[in-house]
Amino acid sequence: MNNLVKIENNEIVIANETIEKIKNFEKMKVEMDLMQKELKQQLKDKMDSLGIKKFIANGLCATIKSATTRTTLDGKKLKEELPGIYEEYTKVSDVASSITLTIAD
């Protein structure tokens, strides 16, 4: 792991084995997320059809939240139409650095 990333001839070098592991993990994560989404939808549909809003079984608690509406602020429109007010009510927050990985086929 100490040699995960190296610099050779001013270029980043990562072992192919490491790259393949990362790609495989990312693919598995996408597949698992899709499977989870499908299972949750099937469970919700069944609960809805039976009129069940909440149940607990074997350590799993499933609760259906009722549909609702949400009020949001259209920051883009406010900035265009009232830039002074937009600036007055805008705040800047620090965001930690992170890394994003994508799989290119």
Side-chain angles (χ1 to χ4, degrees), residues 71-96:
T71 302
T72 60
L73 180 66
D74 186 344
K76 182 178 179 183
K77 186 175 181 180
L78 180 62
K79 186 176 183 179
E80 289 172 1
E81 295 181 8
L82 300 167
I85 291 175
Y86 175 83
E87 290 297 325
E88 185 177 342
Y89 288 95
T90 300
K91 68 178 185 177
V92 177
S93 302
D94 292 332
V95 178

Side-chain angles (χ1 to χ4, degrees), residues 11 16 39 43 47 49 52 59 68-70 84-85 92:
E11 291 192 16
N16 284 336
L39 288 170
L43 179 59
M47 289 173 66
S49 72
I52 299 170
T68 186
T69 59
R70 177 184 306 161
I85 291 175
V92 177

Side-chain angles (χ1 to χ4, degrees), residues 25-72:
F25 287 139
E26 289 295 318
K27 286 179 184 176
M28 287 189 302
K29 181 182 181 297
V30 168
E31 291 171 5
M32 289 172 45
D33 287 345
L34 286 172
M35 288 172 49
Q36 181 188 41
K37 184 177 179 178
E38 289 175 22
L39 288 170
K40 286 171 76 174
Q41 186 61 51
Q42 290 175 17
L43 179 59
K44 182 185 176 297
D45 291 345
K46 191 62 174 179
M47 289 173 66
D48 279 337
S49 72
L50 297 172
I52 299 170
K53 294 290 184 191
K54 181 177 182 174
F55 80 88
I56 300 172
N58 298 326
L60 173 69
C61 177
T63 305
I64 294 178
K65 295 180 184 176
S66 298
T68 186
T69 59
R70 177 184 306 161
T71 302
T72 60

Side-chain angles (χ1 to χ4, degrees), residues 2-16:
N2 289 341
N3 294 324
L4 182 63
V5 177
K6 295 188 277 184
I7 303 293
E8 292 180 5
N9 299 323
N10 288 331
E11 291 192 16
I12 295 175
V13 178
I14 302 172
N16 284 336

